[in-house]
Every structure is written in structure tokens, then in C-alpha cells.
Amino acid sequence: MLFTRKKITTIVDELTTFFFSVGSNDMVVKIKQKPDGFHIFFASNFDIKMQRTVEHLEENLTRGRAPEIEESYWGLNGSGDFQDENELILIGAMIDSAQVEICEGYATLNLFRAF
């Protein structure tokens, strides 16, 4: 369970770093542990000039969980400043489902990671 919780903090850390990189100054995070897994709610504003970058986030997060990738690389995530989309692809490989809503200058993410 310790590694599962660490992975949840890694997911939140990467999302926080990403949204700072696109100009966020207002984020909300809620993590809820339920019998079937962890539900993560993440909402943030962003600089409207970065709309395309944020829209690309949805594609990266909805690829589906890939345990073989996750187990090999999750510990390498989080090198500091947001570098490229590879970190978001890895986050996508760590979650079972993602619902992403993006409006002009605001994004809402509902993520789920099963046990």
C-alpha cells in the first residue's frame, strides 16, 4: 500500500508541475481512497495561450493503464520542472481511467487508480 500511495503523490505532483508550467495560479486537489481504489479530483486554471498544450493533456491521460510501463518507470518521474509530455504519458500509464474537461482557461480532471 505504501508504493500505491507514493504513486498517487507522484501523479498529483506531476499534474501540479504541469499546470504551473502552463501558467496556473489556482489549483484544487482532492484525493479520496475508496474500497476499489483512489479517486483524484484535480482542477486548475491556466494561461489561455497554453490551451493547445492543455488539450493535449487529455490524450496523454486517457491512454489507459499499462502496468509493465508503470512498474519500470514510475520512480524516474518527477525530475523537477516539467520537461515534456513523456511525464504525462507515464501518468496516463498509471491510472485506470480519466475524465478530462477543458474550457477556456480552466481544466477539470477526474482520475481513478484501482488497487
mmCIF file of all heavy atoms in Angstrom, residues 15-62:
data_model
loop_
_atom_site.group_PDB
_atom_site.id
_atom_site.type_symbol
_atom_site.label_atom_id
_atom_site.label_comp_id
_atom_site.label_asym_id
_atom_site.label_seq_id
_atom_site.Cartn_x
_atom_site.Cartn_y
_atom_site.Cartn_z
ATOM 1 N N LEU A 15 0.995 16.492 -12.130
ATOM 2 C CA LEU A 15 -0.076 17.375 -12.599
ATOM 3 C C LEU A 15 0.127 18.804 -12.107
ATOM 4 O O LEU A 15 -0.067 19.765 -12.855
ATOM 5 C CB LEU A 15 -1.434 16.837 -12.163
ATOM 6 C CG LEU A 15 -1.886 15.564 -12.860
ATOM 7 C CD1 LEU A 15 -3.156 15.023 -12.211
ATOM 8 C CD2 LEU A 15 -2.093 15.786 -14.349
ATOM 9 N N THR A 16 0.541 18.939 -10.853
ATOM 10 C CA THR A 16 0.813 20.267 -10.292
ATOM 11 C C THR A 16 1.932 20.950 -11.067
ATOM 12 O O THR A 16 1.819 22.116 -11.458
ATOM 13 C CB THR A 16 1.185 20.152 -8.805
ATOM 14 O OG1 THR A 16 0.109 19.509 -8.108
ATOM 15 C CG2 THR A 16 1.443 21.508 -8.186
ATOM 16 N N THR A 17 3.000 20.231 -11.329
ATOM 17 C CA THR A 17 4.129 20.778 -12.083
ATOM 18 C C THR A 17 3.695 21.176 -13.488
ATOM 19 O O THR A 17 4.054 22.251 -13.983
ATOM 20 C CB THR A 17 5.280 19.749 -12.143
ATOM 21 O OG1 THR A 17 5.670 19.416 -10.800
ATOM 22 C CG2 THR A 17 6.486 20.300 -12.896
ATOM 23 N N PHE A 18 2.903 20.315 -14.125
ATOM 24 C CA PHE A 18 2.411 20.630 -15.466
ATOM 25 C C PHE A 18 1.589 21.915 -15.461
ATOM 26 O O PHE A 18 1.805 22.813 -16.286
ATOM 27 C CB PHE A 18 1.578 19.476 -16.031
ATOM 28 C CG PHE A 18 0.859 19.838 -17.297
ATOM 29 C CD1 PHE A 18 1.545 19.877 -18.506
ATOM 30 C CD2 PHE A 18 -0.485 20.164 -17.283
ATOM 31 C CE1 PHE A 18 0.894 20.235 -19.683
ATOM 32 C CE2 PHE A 18 -1.147 20.524 -18.454
ATOM 33 C CZ PHE A 18 -0.448 20.559 -19.648
ATOM 34 N N PHE A 19 0.640 22.016 -14.548
ATOM 35 C CA PHE A 19 -0.225 23.198 -14.551
ATOM 36 C C PHE A 19 0.517 24.473 -14.172
ATOM 37 O O PHE A 19 0.213 25.545 -14.701
ATOM 38 C CB PHE A 19 -1.486 22.967 -13.717
ATOM 39 C CG PHE A 19 -2.538 22.246 -14.504
ATOM 40 C CD1 PHE A 19 -2.722 20.880 -14.362
ATOM 41 C CD2 PHE A 19 -3.315 22.920 -15.433
ATOM 42 C CE1 PHE A 19 -3.670 20.210 -15.113
ATOM 43 C CE2 PHE A 19 -4.261 22.263 -16.196
ATOM 44 C CZ PHE A 19 -4.444 20.898 -16.041
ATOM 45 N N PHE A 20 1.518 24.381 -13.319
ATOM 46 C CA PHE A 20 2.372 25.562 -13.084
ATOM 47 C C PHE A 20 3.059 25.967 -14.382
ATOM 48 O O PHE A 20 3.187 27.150 -14.687
ATOM 49 C CB PHE A 20 3.424 25.291 -12.009
ATOM 50 C CG PHE A 20 2.937 25.524 -10.605
ATOM 51 C CD1 PHE A 20 3.273 24.631 -9.595
ATOM 52 C CD2 PHE A 20 2.182 26.635 -10.262
ATOM 53 C CE1 PHE A 20 2.844 24.842 -8.291
ATOM 54 C CE2 PHE A 20 1.741 26.855 -8.964
ATOM 55 C CZ PHE A 20 2.077 25.949 -7.973
ATOM 56 N N SER A 21 3.470 24.981 -15.183
ATOM 57 C CA SER A 21 4.190 25.288 -16.425
ATOM 58 C C SER A 21 3.296 25.946 -17.482
ATOM 59 O O SER A 21 3.806 26.573 -18.404
ATOM 60 C CB SER A 21 4.837 24.026 -17.006
ATOM 61 O OG SER A 21 3.892 23.219 -17.676
ATOM 62 N N VAL A 22 1.975 25.820 -17.331
ATOM 63 C CA VAL A 22 1.058 26.455 -18.281
ATOM 64 C C VAL A 22 0.358 27.666 -17.667
ATOM 65 O O VAL A 22 -0.676 28.111 -18.157
ATOM 66 C CB VAL A 22 0.035 25.452 -18.878
ATOM 67 C CG1 VAL A 22 0.744 24.418 -19.742
ATOM 68 C CG2 VAL A 22 -0.805 24.800 -17.797
ATOM 69 N N GLY A 23 0.949 28.181 -16.603
ATOM 70 C CA GLY A 23 0.501 29.455 -16.052
ATOM 71 C C GLY A 23 -0.549 29.406 -14.964
ATOM 72 O O GLY A 23 -1.165 30.435 -14.655
ATOM 73 N N SER A 24 -0.761 28.277 -14.338
ATOM 74 C CA SER A 24 -1.767 28.199 -13.286
ATOM 75 C C SER A 24 -1.371 29.007 -12.052
ATOM 76 O O SER A 24 -0.203 29.066 -11.675
ATOM 77 C CB SER A 24 -1.991 26.750 -12.859
ATOM 78 O OG SER A 24 -2.929 26.700 -11.791
ATOM 79 N N ASN A 25 -2.389 29.593 -11.430
ATOM 80 C CA ASN A 25 -2.187 30.232 -10.135
ATOM 81 C C ASN A 25 -3.328 29.877 -9.183
ATOM 82 O O ASN A 25 -3.502 30.500 -8.141
ATOM 83 C CB ASN A 25 -2.045 31.755 -10.275
ATOM 84 C CG ASN A 25 -3.275 32.411 -10.866
ATOM 85 O OD1 ASN A 25 -4.302 31.778 -11.059
ATOM 86 N ND2 ASN A 25 -3.158 33.681 -11.181
ATOM 87 N N ASP A 26 -4.113 28.837 -9.547
ATOM 88 C CA ASP A 26 -5.239 28.427 -8.717
ATOM 89 C C ASP A 26 -5.551 26.960 -9.007
ATOM 90 O O ASP A 26 -6.082 26.630 -10.066
ATOM 91 C CB ASP A 26 -6.457 29.310 -9.025
ATOM 92 C CG ASP A 26 -7.637 29.024 -8.113
ATOM 93 O OD1 ASP A 26 -7.469 28.337 -7.093
ATOM 94 O OD2 ASP A 26 -8.745 29.488 -8.449
ATOM 95 N N MET A 27 -5.202 26.074 -8.080
ATOM 96 C CA MET A 27 -5.435 24.638 -8.258
ATOM 97 C C MET A 27 -6.194 24.077 -7.067
ATOM 98 O O MET A 27 -6.036 24.549 -5.943
ATOM 99 C CB MET A 27 -4.114 23.878 -8.364
ATOM 100 C CG MET A 27 -3.322 24.177 -9.597
ATOM 101 S SD MET A 27 -1.777 23.238 -9.613
ATOM 102 C CE MET A 27 -0.630 24.538 -9.995
ATOM 103 N N VAL A 28 -6.993 23.041 -7.341
ATOM 104 C CA VAL A 28 -7.719 22.320 -6.304
ATOM 105 C C VAL A 28 -7.433 20.835 -6.502
ATOM 106 O O VAL A 28 -7.552 20.325 -7.616
ATOM 107 C CB VAL A 28 -9.246 22.563 -6.406
ATOM 108 C CG1 VAL A 28 -9.999 21.713 -5.396
ATOM 109 C CG2 VAL A 28 -9.570 24.033 -6.237
ATOM 110 N N VAL A 29 -7.068 20.151 -5.414
ATOM 111 C CA VAL A 29 -6.800 18.717 -5.477
ATOM 112 C C VAL A 29 -7.583 18.034 -4.366
ATOM 113 O O VAL A 29 -7.583 18.483 -3.222
ATOM 114 C CB VAL A 29 -5.294 18.406 -5.276
ATOM 115 C CG1 VAL A 29 -5.055 16.908 -5.303
ATOM 116 C CG2 VAL A 29 -4.453 19.102 -6.310
ATOM 117 N N LYS A 30 -8.231 16.949 -4.734
ATOM 118 C CA LYS A 30 -8.937 16.133 -3.738
ATOM 119 C C LYS A 30 -8.625 14.673 -4.039
ATOM 120 O O LYS A 30 -8.802 14.208 -5.172
ATOM 121 C CB LYS A 30 -10.441 16.372 -3.812
ATOM 122 C CG LYS A 30 -11.209 15.572 -2.788
ATOM 123 C CD LYS A 30 -12.687 15.883 -2.868
ATOM 124 C CE LYS A 30 -13.443 15.068 -1.831
ATOM 125 N NZ LYS A 30 -14.885 15.338 -1.894
ATOM 126 N N ILE A 31 -8.157 13.963 -3.045
ATOM 127 C CA ILE A 31 -7.837 12.541 -3.177
ATOM 128 C C ILE A 31 -8.738 11.777 -2.218
ATOM 129 O O ILE A 31 -8.779 12.092 -1.025
ATOM 130 C CB ILE A 31 -6.363 12.258 -2.835
ATOM 131 C CG1 ILE A 31 -5.449 13.076 -3.742
ATOM 132 C CG2 ILE A 31 -6.065 10.763 -2.936
ATOM 133 C CD1 ILE A 31 -4.002 13.077 -3.300
ATOM 134 N N LYS A 32 -9.432 10.788 -2.741
ATOM 135 C CA LYS A 32 -10.323 10.004 -1.896
ATOM 136 C C LYS A 32 -10.020 8.529 -2.091
ATOM 137 O O LYS A 32 -10.056 8.025 -3.216
ATOM 138 C CB LYS A 32 -11.777 10.305 -2.250
ATOM 139 C CG LYS A 32 -12.748 9.678 -1.295
ATOM 140 C CD LYS A 32 -14.101 10.319 -1.423
ATOM 141 C CE LYS A 32 -14.905 9.927 -0.203
ATOM 142 N NZ LYS A 32 -16.043 10.773 -0.013
ATOM 143 N N GLN A 33 -9.713 7.849 -0.988
ATOM 144 C CA GLN A 33 -9.477 6.412 -1.041
ATOM 145 C C GLN A 33 -10.801 5.701 -0.800
ATOM 146 O O GLN A 33 -11.485 5.965 0.186
ATOM 147 C CB GLN A 33 -8.453 5.986 0.011
ATOM 148 C CG GLN A 33 -8.132 4.512 -0.040
ATOM 149 C CD GLN A 33 -7.068 4.103 0.962
ATOM 150 O OE1 GLN A 33 -6.333 4.938 1.471
ATOM 151 N NE2 GLN A 33 -7.009 2.823 1.249
ATOM 152 N N LYS A 34 -11.148 4.810 -1.728
ATOM 153 C CA LYS A 34 -12.370 4.016 -1.610
ATOM 154 C C LYS A 34 -11.982 2.552 -1.690
ATOM 155 O O LYS A 34 -10.835 2.225 -1.998
ATOM 156 C CB LYS A 34 -13.342 4.396 -2.725
ATOM 157 C CG LYS A 34 -13.898 5.802 -2.573
ATOM 158 C CD LYS A 34 -15.031 6.028 -3.539
ATOM 159 C CE LYS A 34 -15.696 7.363 -3.212
ATOM 160 N NZ LYS A 34 -16.890 7.556 -4.049
ATOM 161 N N PRO A 35 -12.910 1.644 -1.421
ATOM 162 C CA PRO A 35 -12.569 0.211 -1.448
ATOM 163 C C PRO A 35 -11.996 -0.283 -2.773
ATOM 164 O O PRO A 35 -11.213 -1.225 -2.796
ATOM 165 C CB PRO A 35 -13.904 -0.479 -1.144
ATOM 166 C CG PRO A 35 -14.683 0.532 -0.374
ATOM 167 C CD PRO A 35 -14.273 1.869 -0.943
ATOM 168 N N ASP A 36 -12.368 0.366 -3.881
ATOM 169 C CA ASP A 36 -11.912 -0.100 -5.190
ATOM 170 C C ASP A 36 -10.633 0.577 -5.674
ATOM 171 O O ASP A 36 -10.020 0.148 -6.639
ATOM 172 C CB ASP A 36 -13.008 0.074 -6.242
ATOM 173 C CG ASP A 36 -13.496 1.514 -6.363
ATOM 174 O OD1 ASP A 36 -13.219 2.339 -5.468
ATOM 175 O OD2 ASP A 36 -14.175 1.819 -7.364
ATOM 176 N N GLY A 37 -10.214 1.659 -5.011
ATOM 177 C CA GLY A 37 -9.011 2.365 -5.424
ATOM 178 C C GLY A 37 -9.035 3.824 -5.012
ATOM 179 O O GLY A 37 -9.802 4.212 -4.130
ATOM 180 N N PHE A 38 -8.223 4.618 -5.665
ATOM 181 C CA PHE A 38 -8.118 6.042 -5.366
ATOM 182 C C PHE A 38 -8.792 6.869 -6.458
ATOM 183 O O PHE A 38 -8.573 6.637 -7.644
ATOM 184 C CB PHE A 38 -6.648 6.474 -5.273
ATOM 185 C CG PHE A 38 -5.969 6.049 -4.021
ATOM 186 C CD1 PHE A 38 -5.288 4.848 -3.952
ATOM 187 C CD2 PHE A 38 -6.008 6.857 -2.884
ATOM 188 C CE1 PHE A 38 -4.653 4.448 -2.792
ATOM 189 C CE2 PHE A 38 -5.379 6.464 -1.713
ATOM 190 C CZ PHE A 38 -4.699 5.261 -1.662
ATOM 191 N N HIS A 39 -9.574 7.838 -6.022
ATOM 192 C CA HIS A 39 -10.190 8.814 -6.919
ATOM 193 C C HIS A 39 -9.464 10.137 -6.703
ATOM 194 O O HIS A 39 -9.312 10.579 -5.561
ATOM 195 C CB HIS A 39 -11.684 8.948 -6.629
ATOM 196 C CG HIS A 39 -12.446 7.703 -6.914
ATOM 197 N ND1 HIS A 39 -13.078 7.483 -8.109
ATOM 198 C CD2 HIS A 39 -12.653 6.581 -6.173
ATOM 199 C CE1 HIS A 39 -13.650 6.295 -8.084
ATOM 200 N NE2 HIS A 39 -13.408 5.725 -6.920
ATOM 201 N N ILE A 40 -9.013 10.729 -7.772
ATOM 202 C CA ILE A 40 -8.288 12.001 -7.703
ATOM 203 C C ILE A 40 -9.074 13.039 -8.493
ATOM 204 O O ILE A 40 -9.344 12.841 -9.682
ATOM 205 C CB ILE A 40 -6.870 11.886 -8.294
ATOM 206 C CG1 ILE A 40 -6.075 10.794 -7.591
ATOM 207 C CG2 ILE A 40 -6.144 13.234 -8.223
ATOM 208 C CD1 ILE A 40 -4.794 10.403 -8.308
ATOM 209 N N PHE A 41 -9.424 14.122 -7.829
ATOM 210 C CA PHE A 41 -10.051 15.258 -8.490
ATOM 211 C C PHE A 41 -9.002 16.360 -8.557
ATOM 212 O O PHE A 41 -8.383 16.684 -7.542
ATOM 213 C CB PHE A 41 -11.279 15.737 -7.709
ATOM 214 C CG PHE A 41 -11.855 17.017 -8.250
ATOM 215 C CD1 PHE A 41 -12.700 17.002 -9.353
ATOM 216 C CD2 PHE A 41 -11.543 18.229 -7.668
ATOM 217 C CE1 PHE A 41 -13.223 18.185 -9.856
ATOM 218 C CE2 PHE A 41 -12.058 19.415 -8.166
ATOM 219 C CZ PHE A 41 -12.900 19.399 -9.258
ATOM 220 N N PHE A 42 -8.807 16.912 -9.730
ATOM 221 C CA PHE A 42 -7.811 17.969 -9.925
ATOM 222 C C PHE A 42 -8.434 19.028 -10.826
ATOM 223 O O PHE A 42 -8.938 18.704 -11.905
ATOM 224 C CB PHE A 42 -6.560 17.395 -10.593
ATOM 225 C CG PHE A 42 -5.361 18.293 -10.538
ATOM 226 C CD1 PHE A 42 -4.366 18.089 -9.593
ATOM 227 C CD2 PHE A 42 -5.231 19.351 -11.417
ATOM 228 C CE1 PHE A 42 -3.263 18.922 -9.535
ATOM 229 C CE2 PHE A 42 -4.138 20.192 -11.368
ATOM 230 C CZ PHE A 42 -3.146 19.973 -10.417
ATOM 231 N N ALA A 43 -8.431 20.255 -10.367
ATOM 232 C CA ALA A 43 -8.963 21.358 -11.168
ATOM 233 C C ALA A 43 -7.961 22.502 -11.141
ATOM 234 O O ALA A 43 -7.318 22.744 -10.110
ATOM 235 C CB ALA A 43 -10.310 21.814 -10.627
ATOM 236 N N SER A 44 -7.829 23.189 -12.267
ATOM 237 C CA SER A 44 -6.845 24.262 -12.347
ATOM 238 C C SER A 44 -7.197 25.240 -13.456
ATOM 239 O O SER A 44 -7.761 24.860 -14.477
ATOM 240 C CB SER A 44 -5.454 23.676 -12.616
ATOM 241 O OG SER A 44 -4.496 24.701 -12.718
ATOM 242 N N ASN A 45 -6.811 26.471 -13.234
ATOM 243 C CA ASN A 45 -6.855 27.429 -14.329
ATOM 244 C C ASN A 45 -5.535 27.336 -15.076
ATOM 245 O O ASN A 45 -4.611 26.641 -14.639
ATOM 246 C CB ASN A 45 -7.113 28.842 -13.810
ATOM 247 C CG ASN A 45 -5.958 29.407 -12.999
ATOM 248 O OD1 ASN A 45 -5.132 28.666 -12.454
ATOM 249 N ND2 ASN A 45 -5.897 30.708 -12.891
ATOM 250 N N PHE A 46 -5.439 28.015 -16.215
ATOM 251 C CA PHE A 46 -4.190 28.071 -16.975
ATOM 252 C C PHE A 46 -4.235 29.261 -17.910
ATOM 253 O O PHE A 46 -5.308 29.811 -18.187
ATOM 254 C CB PHE A 46 -3.924 26.759 -17.732
ATOM 255 C CG PHE A 46 -5.013 26.367 -18.704
ATOM 256 C CD1 PHE A 46 -4.997 26.829 -20.017
ATOM 257 C CD2 PHE A 46 -6.052 25.541 -18.304
ATOM 258 C CE1 PHE A 46 -5.993 26.467 -20.910
ATOM 259 C CE2 PHE A 46 -7.055 25.176 -19.190
ATOM 260 C CZ PHE A 46 -7.027 25.644 -20.498
ATOM 261 N N ASP A 47 -3.082 29.648 -18.393
ATOM 262 C CA ASP A 47 -2.975 30.757 -19.345
ATOM 263 C C ASP A 47 -3.631 30.324 -20.651
ATOM 264 O O ASP A 47 -3.280 29.294 -21.228
ATOM 265 C CB ASP A 47 -1.493 31.090 -19.566
ATOM 266 C CG ASP A 47 -1.270 32.283 -20.473
ATOM 267 O OD1 ASP A 47 -2.165 32.618 -21.286
ATOM 268 O OD2 ASP A 47 -0.179 32.881 -20.382
ATOM 269 N N ILE A 48 -4.571 31.093 -21.109
ATOM 270 C CA ILE A 48 -5.329 30.753 -22.314
ATOM 271 C C ILE A 48 -4.425 30.543 -23.529
ATOM 272 O O ILE A 48 -4.763 29.788 -24.442
ATOM 273 C CB ILE A 48 -6.434 31.811 -22.591
ATOM 274 C CG1 ILE A 48 -7.433 31.284 -23.621
ATOM 275 C CG2 ILE A 48 -5.830 33.117 -23.049
ATOM 276 C CD1 ILE A 48 -8.277 30.178 -23.124
ATOM 277 N N LYS A 49 -3.254 31.155 -23.534
ATOM 278 C CA LYS A 49 -2.300 30.954 -24.634
ATOM 279 C C LYS A 49 -1.786 29.520 -24.674
ATOM 280 O O LYS A 49 -1.236 29.073 -25.674
ATOM 281 C CB LYS A 49 -1.120 31.909 -24.506
ATOM 282 C CG LYS A 49 -1.486 33.364 -24.646
ATOM 283 C CD LYS A 49 -0.273 34.233 -24.379
ATOM 284 C CE LYS A 49 -0.721 35.605 -23.952
ATOM 285 N NZ LYS A 49 0.272 36.316 -23.185
ATOM 286 N N MET A 50 -1.961 28.802 -23.582
ATOM 287 C CA MET A 50 -1.490 27.418 -23.481
ATOM 288 C C MET A 50 -2.611 26.401 -23.702
ATOM 289 O O MET A 50 -2.459 25.224 -23.392
ATOM 290 C CB MET A 50 -0.841 27.198 -22.102
ATOM 291 C CG MET A 50 0.316 28.139 -21.799
ATOM 292 S SD MET A 50 1.669 27.981 -22.978
ATOM 293 C CE MET A 50 2.374 26.428 -22.472
ATOM 294 N N GLN A 51 -3.722 26.828 -24.253
ATOM 295 C CA GLN A 51 -4.901 25.983 -24.454
ATOM 296 C C GLN A 51 -4.560 24.693 -25.206
ATOM 297 O O GLN A 51 -4.951 23.613 -24.786
ATOM 298 C CB GLN A 51 -5.977 26.763 -25.217
ATOM 299 C CG GLN A 51 -7.253 25.991 -25.473
ATOM 300 C CD GLN A 51 -8.244 26.044 -24.333
ATOM 301 O OE1 GLN A 51 -8.182 26.911 -23.468
ATOM 302 N NE2 GLN A 51 -9.169 25.123 -24.322
ATOM 303 N N ARG A 52 -3.813 24.789 -26.287
ATOM 304 C CA ARG A 52 -3.475 23.583 -27.069
ATOM 305 C C ARG A 52 -2.646 22.585 -26.249
ATOM 306 O O ARG A 52 -2.847 21.378 -26.338
ATOM 307 C CB ARG A 52 -2.719 23.954 -28.336
ATOM 308 C CG ARG A 52 -3.608 24.516 -29.398
ATOM 309 C CD ARG A 52 -2.834 24.717 -30.681
ATOM 310 N NE ARG A 52 -3.726 25.220 -31.693
ATOM 311 C CZ ARG A 52 -3.735 24.784 -32.934
ATOM 312 N NH1 ARG A 52 -2.872 23.874 -33.320
ATOM 313 N NH2 ARG A 52 -4.582 25.279 -33.807
ATOM 314 N N THR A 53 -1.725 23.094 -25.470
ATOM 315 C CA THR A 53 -0.900 22.223 -24.626
ATOM 316 C C THR A 53 -1.778 21.480 -23.628
ATOM 317 O O THR A 53 -1.614 20.277 -23.415
ATOM 318 C CB THR A 53 0.173 23.049 -23.885
ATOM 319 O OG1 THR A 53 0.961 23.729 -24.859
ATOM 320 C CG2 THR A 53 1.060 22.178 -23.019
ATOM 321 N N VAL A 54 -2.713 22.188 -23.026
ATOM 322 C CA VAL A 54 -3.603 21.572 -22.044
ATOM 323 C C VAL A 54 -4.551 20.586 -22.729
ATOM 324 O O VAL A 54 -4.825 19.508 -22.190
ATOM 325 C CB VAL A 54 -4.373 22.649 -21.251
ATOM 326 C CG1 VAL A 54 -5.374 22.014 -20.300
ATOM 327 C CG2 VAL A 54 -3.393 23.532 -20.473
ATOM 328 N N GLU A 55 -5.021 20.908 -23.909
ATOM 329 C CA GLU A 55 -5.882 19.977 -24.635
ATOM 330 C C GLU A 55 -5.150 18.672 -24.950
ATOM 331 O O GLU A 55 -5.747 17.602 -24.963
ATOM 332 C CB GLU A 55 -6.401 20.626 -25.918
ATOM 333 C CG GLU A 55 -7.430 21.701 -25.654
ATOM 334 C CD GLU A 55 -7.812 22.498 -26.887
ATOM 335 O OE1 GLU A 55 -7.150 22.352 -27.951
ATOM 336 O OE2 GLU A 55 -8.767 23.281 -26.790
ATOM 337 N N HIS A 56 -3.863 18.760 -25.182
ATOM 338 C CA HIS A 56 -3.054 17.567 -25.449
ATOM 339 C C HIS A 56 -2.954 16.675 -24.200
ATOM 340 O O HIS A 56 -2.734 15.467 -24.303
ATOM 341 C CB HIS A 56 -1.668 17.987 -25.935
ATOM 342 C CG HIS A 56 -0.916 16.916 -26.628
ATOM 343 N ND1 HIS A 56 -1.361 16.300 -27.780
ATOM 344 C CD2 HIS A 56 0.255 16.315 -26.318
ATOM 345 C CE1 HIS A 56 -0.492 15.377 -28.141
ATOM 346 N NE2 HIS A 56 0.486 15.366 -27.275
ATOM 347 N N LEU A 57 -3.139 17.272 -23.041
ATOM 348 C CA LEU A 57 -3.113 16.536 -21.776
ATOM 349 C C LEU A 57 -4.138 15.400 -21.780
ATOM 350 O O LEU A 57 -3.843 14.295 -21.337
ATOM 351 C CB LEU A 57 -3.386 17.501 -20.614
ATOM 352 C CG LEU A 57 -3.617 16.914 -19.234
ATOM 353 C CD1 LEU A 57 -2.311 16.356 -18.692
ATOM 354 C CD2 LEU A 57 -4.154 17.985 -18.296
ATOM 355 N N GLU A 58 -5.327 15.678 -22.292
ATOM 356 C CA GLU A 58 -6.382 14.665 -22.300
ATOM 357 C C GLU A 58 -5.946 13.409 -23.054
ATOM 358 O O GLU A 58 -6.147 12.289 -22.595
ATOM 359 C CB GLU A 58 -7.660 15.231 -22.916
ATOM 360 C CG GLU A 58 -8.802 14.240 -22.922
ATOM 361 C CD GLU A 58 -10.105 14.850 -23.385
ATOM 362 O OE1 GLU A 58 -10.114 15.964 -23.930
ATOM 363 O OE2 GLU A 58 -11.128 14.174 -23.206
ATOM 364 N N GLU A 59 -5.327 13.580 -24.203
ATOM 365 C CA GLU A 59 -4.847 12.445 -24.988
ATOM 366 C C GLU A 59 -3.845 11.604 -24.197
ATOM 367 O O GLU A 59 -3.890 10.375 -24.219
ATOM 368 C CB GLU A 59 -4.199 12.952 -26.276
ATOM 369 C CG GLU A 59 -3.694 11.864 -27.176
ATOM 370 C CD GLU A 59 -3.005 12.422 -28.410
ATOM 371 O OE1 GLU A 59 -3.472 13.439 -28.953
ATOM 372 O OE2 GLU A 59 -1.990 11.830 -28.813
ATOM 373 N N ASN A 60 -2.959 12.273 -23.485
ATOM 374 C CA ASN A 60 -1.941 11.562 -22.714
ATOM 375 C C ASN A 60 -2.515 10.828 -21.506
ATOM 376 O O ASN A 60 -2.008 9.772 -21.125
ATOM 377 C CB ASN A 60 -0.844 12.521 -22.267
ATOM 378 C CG ASN A 60 0.022 12.957 -23.415
ATOM 379 O OD1 ASN A 60 0.328 12.179 -24.305
ATOM 380 N ND2 ASN A 60 0.398 14.224 -23.426
ATOM 381 N N LEU A 61 -3.556 11.386 -20.900
ATOM 382 C CA LEU A 61 -4.112 10.777 -19.690
ATOM 383 C C LEU A 61 -5.114 9.665 -19.973
ATOM 384 O O LEU A 61 -5.398 8.867 -19.095
ATOM 385 C CB LEU A 61 -4.776 11.847 -18.818
ATOM 386 C CG LEU A 61 -3.844 12.870 -18.191
ATOM 387 C CD1 LEU A 61 -4.642 13.856 -17.348
ATOM 388 C CD2 LEU A 61 -2.765 12.211 -17.355
ATOM 389 N N THR A 62 -5.631 9.598 -21.170
ATOM 390 C CA THR A 62 -6.681 8.615 -21.452
ATOM 391 C C THR A 62 -6.176 7.407 -22.240
ATOM 392 O O THR A 62 -6.969 6.681 -22.817
ATOM 393 C CB THR A 62 -7.859 9.289 -22.197
ATOM 394 O OG1 THR A 62 -7.372 9.903 -23.389
ATOM 395 C CG2 THR A 62 -8.554 10.314 -21.323
#
